[in-house]
Amino acid sequence: METLERKAQEPLLEVRGIRKTFVSQGLFRPRRRVVAARDVSFGVDRGEAVALVGESGSGKSTIARLLLRLEAPDAGEIRLNGVDVLEREPRRASLAYRGRVQMVFQDPFGSLNAVHDIEHHLVRPLKRHHRTNGGGVRAQAAELLRTVGLEPAEEFLARHPYELSGGQRQRVAIARALAADPDLLVADEPTSMLDVSIRMDILNLLAQLKRERQLGILLITHDLASARYLADRVLVLFRGRVVEDGRSGELVENPAHPYTRALLDSIADTGEERARAGGTRRSATDPAEVGCPFASRCPDVMDVCREADPEPRAVGERTVRCHLYEEGASAPGSVSG
Ligand code: SF4
């Protein structure tokens, strides 16, 4: 059987055409299908951070859950270190996979168990994932704390989560993820519950780990500013589709898709980081709808938008899903000729 161990010649993560539909039914509501992820494809390389950005209901958290194998996709492929993991382990993720792909949760208060001290939180994954070495597991746990900037480490090992600040807890959560020696860190809104003053510290820590450990990072966020700060590439999601995919700096400075522009405008207009593009949020319902799903909120809507859902097309070095652009057109802000 193919191994999930790192292979220098293989891309770290490749996601191809994943799709996930949920069926919801309320007591007095008819059944409805919710397409949470629709033919989503992307990759993350070693030492690369990719951000999935969108408002609530855009499908970004579903994609994270699919990658963590907490949900099974209806279709598509997930390859880790060159291995088709859904084919290799179709029913549930192996311990090896769960070691290679680790998660940092949004809530640093709920993700640690208040009953146990920090040493317990770190020793457990070290043993579970067979990452102990001859130097002693307590010393390894202390080293993990130093890696995430918690010193004196020996002192922090003896503390309990309730004795730490939110930022310190999130550092412990990151150290716990590192204990498994992962290749890919899925960080789900890792700063949104922290004070504004320490958000940058956590993003800087993730950037350092990416660089020094060649860690792949998938950042799930509603906040384009955080995405731009940490990520090399940004995928903007709207109702389960990737509507724009490009290098983070170019995409944020010169957004091509009207939805990306709306996300940026909502930050600028309100000063709030929660993107509220165009007002009402809607989830990805009704896969049978005709035309562009953003049409009812789009300031640039044209007749064709109500008739045909645009296919992804190459626009400069980006991929954009919008009728405003022809295949092969220049991206906004690019210098032609
Ligand atoms: Fe707006 Fe049309 Fe582009 Fe959709 S396809 S985002 S409605 S311009």
Side-chain angles (χ1 to χ4, degrees):
M1 185 180 273
E2 287 179 289
T3 165
L4 289 169
E5 293 300 307
R6 282 166 206 147
K7 300 182 197 85
Q9 73 278 16
E10 298 284 357
L12 170 55
L13 176 77
E14 296 168 280
V15 173
R16 294 179 188 158
I18 51 168
R19 184 180 182 90
K20 181 69 182 175
T21 303
F22 297 102
V23 177
S24 72
Q25 186 166 25
L27 200 53
F28 303 107
R29 283 203 319 258
R31 280 160 64 96
R32 28 171 231 165
R33 292 176 66 208
V34 178
V35 184
R38 191 180 299 221
D39 302 327
V40 173
S41 299
F42 63 94
V44 182
D45 235 322
R46 290 172 193 78
E48 184 185 38
V50 173
L52 298 183
V53 181
E55 61 193 349
S56 175
S58 62
K60 58 190 190 302
S61 294
T62 297
I63 293 167
R65 290 179 62 79
L66 293 171
L67 281 182
L68 293 163
R69 310 282 314 278
L70 301 173
E71 304 276 356
D74 305 330
E77 208 174 279
I78 298 172
R79 298 184 82 86
L80 185 75
N81 290 323
V83 176
D84 183 337
V85 294
L86 298 173
E87 188 182 84
R88 181 184 191 266
E89 38 196 61
R91 293 187 58 200
R92 59 195 295 258
S94 63
L95 182 65
Y97 182 85
R98 282 179 277 135
R100 302 258 69 93
V101 180
Q102 282 283 302
M103 176 86 173
V104 175
F105 295 93
Q106 179 179 18
D107 180 7
F109 301 91
S111 68
L112 302 176
N113 188 335
V115 172
H116 297 295
D117 62 19
I118 303 307
E119 181 176 350
H120 174 91
H121 283 88
L122 301 181
V123 165
R124 196 156 178 263
L126 282 167
K127 288 183 175 171
R128 182 167 167 72
H129 292 281
H130 310 294
R131 302 296 182 199
T132 53
N133 60 30
V137 71
R138 184 180 162 84
Q140 279 183 266
E143 190 53 39
L144 284 168
L145 289 181
R146 284 184 208 102
T147 301
V148 298
L150 287 178
E151 298 201 64
E154 295 291 336
E155 213 172 276
F156 275 101
L157 281 178
R159 293 194 196 168
H160 286 74
Y162 55 79
E163 298 175 273
L164 307 182
S165 68
Q168 289 171 335
R169 287 184 207 199
Q170 199 59 305
R171 286 176 188 269
V172 171
I174 293 169
R176 179 177 59 180
L178 294 179
D181 192 21
D183 296 329
L184 179 70
L185 208 57
V186 179
D188 186 2
E189 304 271 14
T191 60
S192 64
M193 293 185 73
L194 302 177
D195 290 345
V196 174
S197 58
I198 51 179
R199 289 181 187 175
M200 202 60 90
D201 294 344
I202 296 296
L203 291 178
N204 282 333
L205 171 61
L206 292 172
Q208 179 192 337
L209 295 172
K210 171 181 89 112
R211 203 172 51 245
E212 293 178 356
R213 295 189 163 224
Q214 285 297 290
L215 196 60
I217 296 178
L218 185 68
L219 175 69
I220 311 292
T221 183
H222 63 272
D223 176 15
L224 264 171
S226 299
R228 198 233 151 120
Y229 190 78
L230 177 66
D232 303 287
R233 259 192 27 248
V234 170
L235 280 76
V236 179
L237 285 161
F238 180 73
R239 297 177 75 180
R241 297 168 169 85
V242 177
V243 296
E244 185 164 1
D245 172 356
R247 306 291 305 170
S248 58
E250 293 161 22
L251 184 144
V252 171
E253 270 155 39
N254 289 295
H257 196 282
Y259 176 63
T260 314
R261 291 204 301 267
L263 280 176
L264 281 163
D265 289 347
S266 72
I267 297 170
D269 287 350
T270 64
E272 293 176 12
E273 292 179 355
R274 178 162 296 278
R276 282 186 272 139
T280 321
R281 287 181 194 149
R282 282 192 282 164
S283 59
T285 55
D286 190 9
E289 69 188 348
V290 175
C292 171
F294 192 58
S296 64
R297 297 163 59 181
C298 181
D300 300 312
V301 63
M302 304 171 284
D303 288 346
V304 64
C305 306
R306 303 193 196 283
E307 291 155 13
D309 190 3
E311 291 294 320
R313 42 201 82 171
V315 176
E317 294 187 356
R318 283 181 239 174
T319 304
V320 183
R321 199 167 187 146
C322 176
H323 287 302
L324 288 173
Y325 303 92
E326 299 286 344
E327 173 77 25
S330 303
S334 59
V335 181
S336 58

